[in-house]
Amino acid sequence: MASTANPFSISLSSKPTATSSLRKINHSSDSFLRVQNPPNSVSLRSSFISPSSIELNLNRVGNSISSASRVKSRICASSAQVMDQSVTKSDPTAPTIVDVNLGNRSYPIYIGPGLLDQPHLLQKHVHGKRVLVVTNDKVGPLYLDKVVEALTKGNPNVSVESVILPDGEKYKDMDTLMKVFDKAIESRLDRRCTFVALGGGVIGDMCGYAAASYLRGINFIQIPTTVMAQVDSSVGGKTGINHHLGKNLIGAFYQPQCVLIDTDTLNTLPDRELASGLAEVIKYGLIRDAEFFEWQEKNIQALMARDPNALAYAIKRSCENKAEVVSLDEKESGLRATLNLGHTFGHAIETGFGYGQWLHGEAVAVGMVMAVDMSYRLGWIDDSIVKRVHNILQQAKLPTFPPEIMTVEMFKSVMAVDKKVADGLLRLILLKGPLGNCVFTGDYDRKALDETLRAFVKP
Amino acid sequence: MASTANPFSISLSSKPTATSSLRKINHSSDSFLRVQNPPNSVSLRSSFISPSSIELNLNRVGNSISSASRVKSRICASSAQVMDQSVTKSDPTAPTIVDVNLGNRSYPIYIGPGLLDQPHLLQKHVHGKRVLVVTNDKVGPLYLDKVVEALTKGNPNVSVESVILPDGEKYKDMDTLMKVFDKAIESRLDRRCTFVALGGGVIGDMCGYAAASYLRGINFIQIPTTVMAQVDSSVGGKTGINHHLGKNLIGAFYQPQCVLIDTDTLNTLPDRELASGLAEVIKYGLIRDAEFFEWQEKNIQALMARDPNALAYAIKRSCENKAEVVSLDEKESGLRATLNLGHTFGHAIETGFGYGQWLHGEAVAVGMVMAVDMSYRLGWIDDSIVKRVHNILQQAKLPTFPPEIMTVEMFKSVMAVDKKVADGLLRLILLKGPLGNCVFTGDYDRKALDETLRAFVKP
């Protein structure tokens, strides 16, 4: 494709941005992200990357840093470094910690079994004496008492209120959000209170947005209880609610004080929810971590069988990927958008089919298949990737085809209000190059998008 | 008062904070703000002020800076300096510019007549090609066409939508806010769009919060058309809506791209709205700018008669005061709270009496009288200040007594959910010392509050 003047396809490189390993591999005008991920590479921040020639490939060798010879940018040691502190831990009950580095809004992700039995982990992040736990009618009966115990044990000055919302994506709306505000105001919670989100992605997104907006912003803590929330939605500060015309159209970027992932909570997770979360795990492999994808291919059966070690590793590595991306691009000026592989197609399914009919990860799985199909039609990837994606999603018992009810028109009307549209042009995350590489671009042949839509849905 | 351990009364000095001229004048545990303001002083930022002994008094003498001898903190030249660029302007149609300095969220306030006839002022702050003007059914008919013309003149690529909300504080709620989201989504506005608030404080607060939340944050511009909005609510990024139990309980700190104050829009402002805005102008004098208060005493008749020069000066000097405070304490960790003199009592009146019965400034005027009364009962100010406050408010035709309907219980129940409550303790802004000085403190004799309430309302 010629290097035409498309202002959107170069958004990743046309302004100061940063990736841990970012290489422009051809002379088209789109940016190419090549991220061979931790554990062997250290993330670095380029404070200013020239848009014309970008090649960063930095690997930690002992304590020294070697860099490719063509780095033309000023590189400084990163504040966005993602640490895995589990390697050096001596206490076997101590959690694995992944840090999300965002300057004075940095916070830890605690990962491990039995963490709700360690009150100090939560209590050190509670501000003030009043706590409001936001949960739903599925998760509340299972874990609310345990969380209240963890918040108050040996800490009699803290009082805890709770609000229990109806479960499900279809309640992720303004009316339900108002119940959180009502409860907080009726309980006379002041600016020094803390909100705690206990549940899956819907609860985390709603509680986070309520915390961002209540009294113009109070502290909050995430306790995600689904794989989906643990590997994706609880990390990174995206909060919000749906509008009946589109998903997550109203919200805020607002970071929690900490994320506490007690992997024991997965024992009560329905199979379908487990599989839905694995869709996001698979996504990290596809967009930036080929080695992790290969590990998943070998371990997909263990993950489906809820092998605790396999799940813990998948969660940790997913959080590392997410934390690294968020640390580098909190407000989604470019790099962070790549985490939405399959989500534009997927949101169309969720919105068109009606919220709650399919789980988010189920829609994303189909969306990834469609994005991969389109990437192949554009000639950007070879067919082995197409097959491997189909294969792993099928093993995870995830759908690979949209619901019958969807039409091309339904896809197009929802995709037109996607947040990644800029000045009317839809930008997509597509795979390009070897496994583990993707682009975020509006510079693609419209014909390929039409062909993909026609191949997957009726006209 | 003994130096008892009250964690709230020292909030201004117990953490790194900054004021342009901050002096602790006695050994009580509350902080004392003494701000003799521009034009002769330069605002400075102390990156770390010791809580134990604070005395800053810095005046610009030519280009050198002299400081009081007891400054114990490291002082560096401020990023929070408020500039008045009007002094050097050569073009008579050029606006006066007051800068709000907030790092990468800094923005200019343009002040002057005929600014809506200068399209470049608005157009240089519009991002993307799509604009949504949010206005109401009073202001829209007067100025919407003019604003659309200013946005599009010589700029055919920009398209403008508008949404016209019902006028009044009682519509500053979630249902009305949803109309803005509905319009934006139905118009398929994307992240590169710009919202423009055209109207008074209610429109500015709602449009700002909509901009903060739409697609997790898009750009917006303030065009305030009331004195109240021009001197206070449009500057500083406080946005939000009311809850039926309290004012501004849901919202965000979110800064505009610019504030454009066309003083010609005041020609259509009702007298009662003019007086309401002057309440906030008077407030700046009382809390931090004695010289400005003295100027107001001499010019109150000119202001009431809408003398353009007097109004322009009052607006500029108010914006300078507001910009300086906001630059030093954006998120209201201390100093910024002092801008709420009279507002805690005033909010109780607005909420108890019903939104829209009284204008905001009318309620604030009574609130200031009550705060001044309480300050006098505490022995913190002499009675000359009490008399001068009564006198200027009466000349401004503002009320000095709450509505008959208010009871002590109504005040207490609304004040209990005020945003300045911390861990259950109500902090108030009270005057202390000579004219132009105030404190923000929870360390006051509860008896004085009760006496003030009993003096002003029935039991």
Side-chain angles (χ1 to χ4, degrees):
Chain A
M1 191 167 289
S3 178
T4 51
N6 181 318
F8 305 115
S9 60
I10 56 165
S11 65
L12 281 171
S13 58
S14 65
K15 58 170 70 180
T17 183
T19 71
S20 61
S21 177
L22 192 154
R23 174 180 290 179
K24 191 160 184 183
I25 60 155
N26 64 20
H27 298 290
S28 81
S29 63
D30 53 32
S31 300
F32 192 96
L33 292 175
R34 178 173 172 282
V35 181
Q36 296 298 347
N37 210 48
N40 293 322
S41 68
V42 58
S43 61
L44 291 163
R45 184 179 212 107
S46 161
S47 60
F48 197 91
I49 299 179
S50 148
S52 56
S53 176
I54 297 168
E55 174 150 348
L56 306 181
N57 199 336
L58 305 144
N59 295 291
R60 183 161 46 188
V61 182
N63 287 322
S64 71
I65 291 168
S66 69
S67 65
S69 59
R70 284 174 53 209
V71 174
K72 295 191 176 180
S73 314
R74 188 166 65 84
I75 307 292
C76 56
S78 170
S79 64
Q81 187 171 343
V82 176
M83 303 275 289
D84 177 5
Q85 301 175 11
S86 63
V87 191
T88 55
K89 74 182 180 187
S90 53
D91 176 0
T93 69
T96 296
I97 301 175
V98 176
D99 285 323
V100 183
N101 285 295
L102 291 165
N104 61 6
R105 284 167 293 108
S106 298
Y107 56 94
I109 307 167
Y110 302 116
I111 305 168
L115 299 193
L116 285 176
D117 299 318
Q118 300 182 40
H120 68 282
L121 289 176
L122 275 183
Q123 290 182 12
K124 68 182 170 184
H125 295 285
V126 168
H127 293 234
K129 300 170 186 166
R130 309 284 306 277
V131 177
L132 177 67
V133 180
V134 180
T135 187
N136 68 35
D137 52 21
K138 287 265 174 55
V139 177
L142 297 169
Y143 299 109
L144 180 56
D145 287 350
K146 209 174 173 72
V147 167
V148 173
E149 166 92 5
L151 287 163
T152 54
K153 193 172 183 182
N155 199 16
N157 288 330
V158 163
S159 70
V160 182
E161 311 280 341
S162 64
V163 57
I164 297 178
L165 306 178
D167 177 44
E169 183 86 23
K170 66 173 177 284
Y171 297 107
K172 191 175 164 182
D173 61 12
M174 194 58 86
D175 286 347
T176 311
L177 185 73
M178 287 304 287
K179 292 185 200 302
V180 181
F181 293 128
D182 291 347
K183 180 71 185 180
I185 295 167
E186 284 158 13
S187 305
R188 302 191 168 182
L189 299 188
D190 63 43
R191 275 189 177 160
R192 292 166 69 96
C193 71
T194 301
F195 285 7
V196 173
L198 172 65
V202 171
I203 287 294
D205 283 9
M206 292 184 78
C207 179
Y209 184 45
S213 300
Y214 185 60
L215 309 182
R216 299 199 188 92
I218 51 95
N219 291 310
F220 88 112
I221 289 171
Q222 292 268 18
I223 306 181
T225 59
T226 65
V227 174
M228 172 60 70
Q230 291 173 352
V231 303
D232 186 29
S233 55
S234 72
V235 176
K238 277 194 181 180
T239 72
I241 57 171
N242 301 329
H243 184 275
H244 67 93
L245 293 177
K247 267 191 69 123
N248 298 326
L249 296 182
I250 300 166
F253 288 100
Y254 198 70
Q255 303 294 341
Q257 298 297 304
C258 75
V259 180
L260 185 138
I261 299 173
D262 186 333
T263 51
D264 289 347
T265 58
L266 298 181
N267 295 336
T268 51
L269 191 70
D271 286 344
R272 202 176 144 195
E273 293 270 2
L274 178 80
S276 173
L278 292 180
E280 299 284 359
V281 174
I282 292 164
K283 172 197 75 180
Y284 292 113
L286 289 175
I287 60 165
R288 67 191 314 268
D289 193 349
E291 191 184 272
F292 186 27
F293 187 85
E294 283 152 11
W295 177 90
Q296 293 163 24
E297 289 181 310
K298 293 191 190 85
N299 292 276
I300 185 68
Q301 294 308 331
L303 290 167
M304 294 296 286
R306 299 176 189 239
D307 176 288
N309 291 331
L311 279 175
Y313 180 78
I315 291 164
K316 171 180 152 297
R317 186 125 174 187
S318 296
C319 285
E320 285 170 344
N321 273 291
K322 178 94 185 233
E324 183 168 278
V325 169
V326 168
S327 296
L328 293 165
D329 177 24
E330 183 185 7
K331 297 286 177 72
E332 195 165 307
S333 54
L335 177 67
R336 183 167 181 171
T338 62
L339 297 174
N340 287 316
L341 174 70
H343 284 57
T344 301
F345 294 107
H347 283 179
I349 293 170
E350 288 178 275
T351 306
F353 197 30
Y355 297 138
Q357 298 294 312
W358 271 19
L359 297 175
H360 176 60
E362 293 170 337
V364 166
V366 175
M368 288 196 293
V369 173
M370 293 174 76
V372 166
D373 176 88
M374 187 174 152
S375 306
Y376 177 69
R377 285 177 198 274
L378 288 163
W380 292 357
I381 55 172
D382 68 42
D383 68 347
S384 70
I385 294 179
V386 180
K387 286 174 189 155
R388 289 169 76 178
V389 172
H390 262 275
N391 186 36
I392 196 166
L393 292 174
Q394 277 166 352
Q395 287 194 74
K397 297 194 167 28
L398 284 162
T400 54
F401 229 77
E404 285 250 328
I405 195 181
M406 294 295 295
T407 63
V408 169
E409 198 37 54
M410 285 163 79
F411 269 95
K412 287 193 169 174
S413 73
V414 178
M415 291 165 82
V417 293
D418 189 273
K419 287 190 289 300
K420 287 178 290 297
V421 172
D423 281 347
L425 181 64
L426 176 64
R427 296 173 295 175
L428 289 170
I429 297 94
L430 297 165
L431 301 190
K432 194 166 189 176
L435 185 72
N437 296 288
C438 70
V439 288
F440 171 44
T441 182
D443 191 6
Y444 51 79
D445 189 340
R446 292 291 168 280
K447 228 177 74 197
L449 174 56
D450 285 337
E451 283 173 6
T452 293
L453 287 174
R454 278 204 302 274
F456 281 80
V457 293
K458 61 191 177 199
Chain B
M1 190 167 293
S3 180
T4 51
N6 181 320
F8 305 114
S9 62
I10 57 162
S11 66
L12 281 172
S13 58
S14 65
K15 57 170 71 179
T17 181
T19 72
S20 61
S21 176
L22 194 155
R23 173 181 292 179
K24 191 161 184 184
I25 58 156
N26 63 21
H27 297 290
S28 81
S29 64
D30 52 31
S31 300
F32 192 97
L33 290 175
R34 178 174 172 281
V35 181
Q36 296 295 349
N37 211 48
N40 293 324
S41 68
V42 58
S43 60
L44 290 163
R45 184 179 213 107
S46 160
S47 60
F48 196 91
I49 299 180
S50 151
S52 55
S53 176
I54 296 168
E55 174 151 349
L56 305 182
N57 198 337
L58 304 144
N59 294 292
R60 184 160 47 188
V61 182
N63 286 324
S64 72
I65 291 168
S66 68
S67 65
S69 59
R70 284 174 54 208
V71 173
K72 295 193 176 180
S73 315
R74 188 167 63 85
I75 306 292
C76 55
S78 171
S79 64
Q81 187 171 344
V82 176
M83 303 275 290
D84 177 6
Q85 300 174 13
S86 63
V87 192
T88 57
K89 76 183 181 187
S90 53
D91 176 0
T93 68
T96 296
I97 302 176
V98 176
D99 285 323
V100 183
N101 286 295
L102 291 166
N104 60 8
R105 285 167 292 109
S106 298
Y107 55 92
I109 307 167
Y110 302 116
I111 306 168
L115 300 192
L116 285 176
D117 298 317
Q118 300 183 40
H120 69 282
L121 288 177
L122 276 183
Q123 290 183 12
K124 68 182 171 184
H125 294 286
V126 168
H127 293 234
K129 300 170 186 166
R130 308 285 306 278
V131 177
L132 177 66
V133 180
V134 179
T135 187
N136 68 33
D137 52 22
K138 286 266 173 55
V139 177
L142 296 169
Y143 299 108
L144 180 55
D145 287 351
K146 209 175 174 73
V147 167
V148 173
E149 166 92 3
L151 287 163
T152 54
K153 194 172 183 181
N155 200 15
N157 288 330
V158 164
S159 69
V160 182
E161 311 280 342
S162 64
V163 57
I164 296 177
L165 306 178
D167 177 43
E169 183 85 24
K170 66 173 177 283
Y171 297 106
K172 191 174 163 183
D173 61 11
M174 193 58 88
D175 287 346
T176 311
L177 185 73
M178 286 304 288
K179 292 185 201 302
V180 181
F181 293 128
D182 291 347
K183 180 70 186 182
I185 295 167
E186 284 159 12
S187 304
R188 301 191 168 180
L189 299 188
D190 62 45
R191 274 188 178 162
R192 291 165 70 96
C193 72
T194 301
F195 285 6
V196 174
L198 172 65
V202 172
I203 286 294
D205 283 10
M206 293 184 76
C207 179
Y209 184 45
S213 300
Y214 184 59
L215 310 182
R216 298 197 189 91
I218 50 95
N219 292 310
F220 88 111
I221 289 171
Q222 292 267 20
I223 306 182
T225 59
T226 64
V227 174
M228 172 60 70
Q230 291 173 352
V231 302
D232 185 27
S233 55
S234 72
V235 175
K238 277 195 180 179
T239 72
I241 57 172
N242 300 330
H243 185 275
H244 66 93
L245 294 177
K247 266 191 70 124
N248 298 326
L249 296 182
I250 301 165
F253 288 99
Y254 199 70
Q255 304 294 341
Q257 298 297 304
C258 75
V259 180
L260 185 138
I261 298 174
D262 186 333
T263 51
D264 289 346
T265 58
L266 297 181
N267 295 335
T268 52
L269 191 69
D271 286 344
R272 204 176 142 193
E273 294 269 4
L274 177 81
S276 172
L278 292 180
E280 299 284 359
V281 174
I282 291 164
K283 173 197 74 180
Y284 292 114
L286 290 175
I287 60 166
R288 69 191 312 269
D289 193 349
E291 191 183 273
F292 185 27
F293 186 84
E294 283 153 11
W295 177 89
Q296 293 162 25
E297 290 181 310
K298 293 191 189 84
N299 291 276
I300 186 67
Q301 294 308 329
L303 290 168
M304 293 297 286
R306 300 178 188 237
D307 177 286
N309 290 332
L311 280 175
Y313 179 78
I315 292 165
K316 169 182 155 296
R317 186 126 173 189
S318 296
C319 285
E320 285 170 345
N321 273 291
K322 177 93 186 235
E324 182 168 279
V325 170
V326 168
S327 296
L328 293 166
D329 177 23
E330 183 185 9
K331 297 286 177 70
E332 195 165 307
S333 53
L335 177 65
R336 184 167 180 170
T338 62
L339 297 175
N340 287 315
L341 174 71
H343 284 57
T344 301
F345 295 106
H347 284 179
I349 294 171
E350 289 178 275
T351 306
F353 197 29
Y355 296 139
Q357 298 294 312
W358 271 18
L359 297 176
H360 176 61
E362 293 170 338
V364 167
V366 175
M368 289 196 294
V369 172
M370 294 175 75
V372 166
D373 177 88
M374 186 173 154
S375 306
Y376 177 69
R377 285 177 197 274
L378 288 163
W380 291 358
I381 55 172
D382 67 43
D383 67 347
S384 70
I385 294 179
V386 181
K387 285 174 190 157
R388 289 169 77 178
V389 172
H390 263 276
N391 187 36
I392 196 166
L393 292 174
Q394 277 166 353
Q395 287 195 72
K397 297 193 165 32
L398 285 162
T400 54
F401 229 76
E404 286 252 327
I405 195 181
M406 295 296 295
T407 63
V408 169
E409 198 37 56
M410 284 163 81
F411 269 96
K412 286 193 169 173
S413 74
V414 178
M415 290 165 83
V417 293
D418 189 274
K419 288 191 288 299
K420 287 178 289 298
V421 172
D423 280 348
L425 181 63
L426 176 64
R427 296 173 295 174
L428 289 171
I429 296 93
L430 298 165
L431 302 191
K432 193 168 191 174
L435 185 72
N437 296 288
C438 70
V439 289
F440 171 44
T441 181
D443 189 6
Y444 51 78
D445 190 339
R446 291 291 168 282
K447 227 177 74 197
L449 175 56
D450 286 336
E451 283 172 6
T452 293
L453 288 174
R454 280 203 302 273
F456 281 81
V457 293
K458 60 191 176 201

